[in-house]
Amino acid sequence: MTPARTALTSLAAPAVPTPDAAVALRPLDPGRARITGGFWHTRQQRNRLDGLRAGHAQLEASGTLRNFRLVAGTETGEAAGMIFQDSDVYKWLEAVAFELGREDDPELRTMAREVTDLVASAQLEDGYLNSVHTLRHSAEERYTNLAWNHELYCYGHLIQAAVALARSAEEEQLLDVALRIVAHLRTVFGPGLRQATGGHPVFEMALVELHRLTGRPEILDLARFFLDVRGKGERFDQVRPGPGYFSADVPVRETVSVEGHAVRALYLFAGATDQAIEDRDEELLARCEAVFADLLATKTYVTGGMGARWDWEAFGDPYEMTTDRGYAETCAAIGAIQWAWRLLLATGRPQYADAIERLLFNAFLAGVSLAGTEFFYVNSLQLRDGAKADEGRSIVHGRRGWFDCACCPPNVMRTLASLDHLVATQDAHGLQFHQFASGTWSAGEGEETLTVSTTTDYPHDGRITVRIDAAPSAPRRLSLRIPAWSRGRARLTVDGAEATVPADQAVVVVEKEFAAGEEIVLELDMTPRFVGTHHRLDASRGAVALERGPLVYALENEDQDEGVTVDDAQVDPSAVPEAGAPLDVLDGAVPLRLAGSVVRSSPAAEAWPYPVHGSAEAELARTAHTWTAIPYFAWGNRSVAAMRVWLPVQELS
């Protein structure tokens, strides 16, 4: 394969189904989805200008890039980091690829080429590539610990980076590396060869996308093999903590509920959905939908966070969602977004766009600082006053620039860089908006192209203006999702005339012959609301959470009066919170003022915290108080202070 041209670039979607794939919706074509201003543009620019460059420095400082030099023989020494350290480089490269597609940057392109050269220099003659494994183990030990050595996992991220570089940056050197890896693997795994797969999925997703790019059927065959052998073949029965941890207890097609390590399971089912789309496999798609529905119903935090247990970074049991020990790994939010996006393409059902919105604004966005250079690995929903820092992932440390296990930072980088393609899709009839951001969007070909610009201050404001820039001389459809929290309370005007929006309608469709200059305005109801909890969610029983628009809110000590702590908060959910002036220090986030109380236990209960129910010692002293809440994603950007999402309800005297 010859080197690609670099004169022109255009951002391509991360997942692009083939023309024959069974999908209801398709991503917009390369260069036709652009976030140009507003909330998400600010975060993308910080990621581009600061995050990616800081990430490159961290890859160097951690020894991750040096590992490739050691294999190539240009330096001497011992491998640094974890066995899967290579994957951090590949996620960073994927992020750079998307950024180069958004807008070329000579410095980033040079950095990407230098890093790609390093990676290619470490590939062995037979196609094998894993710098840490090569430095620490013999050739005979390859693939002998599939559960934990993550060779296939690293290949998956390399392939995803290679596809992104080829599509969005017209750089194909890493694609050559990826194809050599696939050729190597086809001599080791498959029918008549070894019947096994890796302990950490992502490879399944990556192989389908490589097939989509290259059109090579043998690559899709290999993806099918790795998907279908999981739960059969080698099931990790003798590997602690058991096959359920690796999503290998039963085959994918028999799974009822996600189990074990959250990120592994989410990546696996994203890949299974890709496979169902390409194979037009309705049964597999239905299974993926059913498992996702169970996940939302029983194992998802109000923030969209997923994974309740610190032990093994696992989901836990149904409704096991503690607050201060909640895990909700940032990478799990990203995996869930990837899965929901594929389900949205496959079905067109708006509930998947609802899920993406909750995940993006809360579970994902909390994982990165406003500056774009520091990260949370874990996203607990509560931090107690006086909490002590334990291991490095704890939120008590605040966000950090990097981690020993650095999966989350470059994962955040690649997600921010590719966000443009989560906003809108196309079909034969027109353009569909699933998320809301300021930008430009086009669907159709030639004279049949519909091009629009959107302007909004979402999520701080609920007004979205869609302006027609160019339209064909034939009727087209423009669809806008009505988020679940605003259904029945949304207003729509089309070129100044108010249109009816049925109360139960999840998508509003405007179909007409559009003219350049026309405007469609959607106004979503941003009235703050309290939400309750399922009776089995013990950790949040008797409490409420506060939401405004797509944002989940939290109380943080930073915003409260001196001498009070959010640990002593009770709120009155019958009083509608009042919006305050936007906070410049938090990029214009809108604070909310809540009526409630500061509560104090009796002296006896302070000495022994289990007084007899109904006794005088059990009485609480209450002082009326107004609390200030901020969006959950913004907490921890000024200090590391007590914080809580679930708010105890004020008891009436």
Side-chain angles (χ1 to χ4, degrees):
M1 190 170 288
T2 58
R5 294 172 292 109
T6 60
L8 298 173
T9 57
S10 57
L11 178 62
V16 184
T18 59
D20 293 331
V23 290
L25 305 172
R26 292 188 175 275
L28 297 184
D29 296 332
R32 292 188 163 200
R34 295 282 180 180
I35 295 174
T36 58
F39 183 89
W40 285 118
H41 186 257
T42 296
R43 276 139 191 87
Q44 285 187 316
Q45 288 301 97
R46 289 173 184 166
N47 182 56
R48 177 187 182 91
L49 299 175
D50 301 317
L52 287 174
R53 287 160 172 84
H56 183 272
Q58 293 282 8
L59 290 170
E60 196 67 82
S62 63
T64 307
L65 294 177
R66 181 171 176 266
N67 289 337
F68 292 99
R69 299 188 190 103
L70 295 177
V71 175
T74 58
E75 291 188 24
T76 58
E78 296 183 354
M82 298 188 171
I83 196 75
F84 49 85
Q85 202 95 335
D86 291 3
S87 62
D88 300 333
V89 173
Y90 305 144
K91 281 181 277 190
W92 180 87
L93 277 171
E94 187 180 1
V96 172
F98 291 134
E99 279 301 329
L100 293 177
R102 291 178 65 236
E103 183 181 349
D104 204 7
D105 180 315
E107 182 182 27
L108 281 179
R109 187 176 289 275
T110 297
M111 292 165 70
R113 286 175 173 171
E114 290 173 349
V115 171
T116 302
D117 284 343
L118 275 183
V119 172
S121 72
Q123 187 169 33
L124 303 186
E125 184 103 9
D126 65 353
Y128 182 87
L129 176 56
N130 184 296
S131 71
V132 182
H133 199 283
T134 299
L135 292 167
R136 291 179 180 165
H137 301 281
S138 67
E140 289 72 25
E141 293 176 283
R142 295 178 186 176
Y143 312 118
T144 57
N145 187 356
L146 286 170
W148 292 111
N149 281 3
H150 291 348
E151 290 141 299
L152 298 181
Y153 169 77
C154 289
Y155 290 156
H157 281 300
L158 182 151
I159 290 169
Q160 288 179 326
V163 170
L165 282 164
R167 279 184 180 149
S168 290
E170 297 183 318
E171 298 278 352
E172 295 189 358
Q173 183 183 10
L174 196 62
L175 186 59
D176 288 331
V177 173
L179 292 172
R180 288 185 62 202
I181 287 170
V182 170
H184 157 70
L185 288 173
R186 293 182 66 233
T187 69
V188 180
F189 298 94
L193 300 169
R194 187 167 177 188
Q195 302 294 295
T197 188
H200 198 312
V202 84
F203 194 51
E204 302 82 355
M205 231 190 316
L207 282 174
V208 173
E209 210 59 41
L210 185 60
H211 159 75
R212 289 167 168 171
L213 176 69
T214 64
R216 298 189 182 188
E218 71 273 16
I219 297 176
L220 190 60
D221 288 341
L222 192 60
R224 290 190 192 102
F225 166 79
F226 280 116
L227 182 72
D228 289 338
V229 78
R230 187 173 296 275
K232 301 175 183 177
E234 297 178 26
R235 293 176 358 111
F236 311 114
D237 289 285
Q238 306 305 314
V239 181
R240 190 167 178 262
Y245 171 81
F246 303 99
S247 295
D249 196 31
V250 296
V252 169
R253 297 171 188 273
E254 298 173 19
T255 301
V256 174
S257 176
V258 285
E259 308 291 344
H261 188 274
V263 180
R264 285 170 165 83
L266 294 164
Y267 281 171
L268 175 63
F269 274 91
T273 304
D274 275 332
Q275 194 73 63
I277 288 170
E278 293 301 329
D279 284 347
R280 308 182 72 85
D281 189 332
E282 295 180 3
E283 184 177 351
L284 178 57
L285 178 60
R287 176 66 62 178
C288 291
E289 285 202 88
V291 174
F292 191 86
D294 179 79
L295 167 63
L296 290 185
T298 66
K299 296 183 178 180
T300 301
Y301 284 97
V302 69
T303 58
M306 296 177 183
R309 293 185 182 177
W310 280 69
D311 290 340
W312 304 106
E313 301 184 321
F315 278 110
D317 297 324
Y319 304 108
E320 180 192 341
M321 284 175 272
T322 58
T323 55
D324 51 349
R325 291 298 293 172
Y327 202 72
E329 183 181 341
T330 300
C331 282
I334 293 168
I337 290 166
Q338 293 174 346
W339 184 12
W341 173 248
R342 286 157 172 79
L343 288 172
L344 177 63
L345 293 180
T347 68
R349 293 180 181 135
Q351 63 260 37
Y352 299 119
D354 282 346
I356 291 170
E357 179 176 77
R358 182 171 295 272
L359 285 155
L360 274 176
F361 281 112
N362 303 289
F364 164 73
L365 196 55
V368 57
S369 66
L370 296 178
T373 55
E374 294 183 306
F375 307 88
F376 276 142
Y377 192 114
V378 173
N379 295 282
S380 305
L381 277 68
Q382 183 176 0
L383 176 60
R384 296 181 185 278
D385 211 1
K388 303 296 182 184
D390 42 29
E391 70 107 76
R393 292 166 290 176
S394 171
I395 61 174
V396 185
H397 293 286
R399 293 179 182 82
R400 294 186 154 191
W402 211 246
F403 301 90
D404 291 340
C405 175
C407 53
C408 294
N411 219 358
V412 168
M413 293 172 194
R414 68 175 181 146
T415 303
L416 284 170
S418 61
L419 270 182
D420 308 65
H421 277 280
L422 292 181
V423 175
T425 57
Q426 62 185 332
D427 64 9
H429 305 289
L431 188 62
Q432 305 85 36
F433 282 97
H434 308 286
Q435 308 302 328
F436 306 112
S438 295
T440 60
W441 325 91
S442 295
E445 297 181 5
E447 294 182 356
E448 298 301 310
T449 300
L450 174 64
T451 300
V452 306
S453 300
T454 52
T455 306
T456 183
D457 193 28
Y458 199 78
H460 302 317
D461 182 81
R463 182 182 176 91
I464 302 100
T465 300
V466 183
R467 186 182 187 279
I468 308 300
D469 294 330
S473 56
R476 303 291 283 167
R477 292 178 190 169
L478 185 65
S479 305
L480 298 103
R481 177 180 62 96
I482 308 296
W485 45 265
S486 190
R487 284 171 203 158
R489 299 181 305 279
R491 296 182 61 225
L492 182 73
T493 58
V494 180
D495 209 24
E498 187 159 355
T500 301
V501 182
D504 61 348
Q505 195 158 316
V507 175
V508 62
V509 179
V510 180
E511 184 171 9
K512 65 190 296 277
E513 185 175 322
F514 293 101
E518 280 187 288
E519 287 190 347
I520 296 102
V521 178
L522 177 65
E523 293 184 78
L524 302 174
D525 182 11
M526 302 293 282
T527 304
R529 61 196 179 276
F530 288 103
V531 299
T533 184
H534 191 282
H535 72 280
R536 294 187 186 178
L537 283 167
D538 298 302
S540 48
R541 185 182 291 140
V544 292
L546 176 62
E547 299 179 345
R548 179 179 182 269
L551 302 177
V552 175
Y553 272 65
L555 299 186
E556 186 180 18
N557 268 6
E558 184 78 26
D559 301 293
Q560 314 311 324
D561 296 342
E562 187 174 353
V564 300
T565 173
V566 301
D567 287 352
D568 296 331
Q570 287 187 350
V571 300
D572 178 5
S574 68
V576 178
E578 296 180 0
L583 299 172
D584 291 341
V585 69
L586 298 181
D587 285 345
V590 177
L592 298 175
R593 305 273 286 172
L594 296 72
S597 304
V598 176
V599 297
R600 297 280 190 270
S601 292
S602 69
E606 293 292 345
W608 174 246
Y610 308 104
V612 174
H613 178 70
S615 68
E617 288 80 7
E619 292 293 324
L620 297 175
R622 296 182 185 83
T623 304
H625 189 75
T626 299
W627 298 93
T628 299
I630 61 167
Y632 171 72
F633 77 77
W635 92 273
N637 275 280
R638 297 162 294 180
S639 66
V640 181
M643 175 275 299
R644 67 185 307 151
V645 169
W646 286 105
L647 313 173
V649 173
Q650 179 174 283
E651 299 174 16
L652 300 177
S653 301

